[in-house]
Structures are given as structure tokens and as C-alpha cells.
Amino acid sequence: MLGLSLETEAQVDALIARAREAGAEVPAPPGKQPWGYSGTFKDPDGHVWMLDVAG
């Protein structure tokens, strides 16, 4: 799993939406978690990316 920390929840939402529009699978849509706000998508090579905002 690869990770990218962002500054705002809106940035996480926007990047997940952009990945989805490009055809990425979204195993975990963006949402609040005990550790902050996060979502995941799979890139074309099958790597899972977690985008998050630490809370």
C-alpha cells in the first residue's frame, strides 16, 4: 500500500473522484476513520493508494 497525506478532506475527495473518473477501483470511499479522514483507490498496476488527512 502506498500513502499520500493531504491537507484537507476536500483534497482527498477530489483525488478519489479524479481516480474513479479515470477508471480506478475505489475499495474504500473517502470517509472519517478513528485515525482521521481517508479513502483508497487502486491504480492501473494494481497498487493500492491510501489518501488521508491525519486527525
Side-chain angles (χ1 to χ4, degrees):
M1 181 176 289
L2 303 165
L4 181 62
S5 291
L6 300 168
E7 293 182 16
T8 68
E9 293 177 8
Q11 288 175 322
V12 173
D13 293 343
L15 282 176
I16 295 284
R18 187 172 173 190
R20 181 180 279 137
E21 290 169 7
E25 179 184 342
V26 178
K32 292 195 183 285
Q33 305 296 330
W35 60 87
Y37 189 86
S38 71
T40 63
F41 70 91
K42 283 187 181 179
D43 70 20
D45 293 322
H47 301 105
V48 177
W49 286 82
M50 176 182 275
L51 308 178
D52 72 343
V53 176

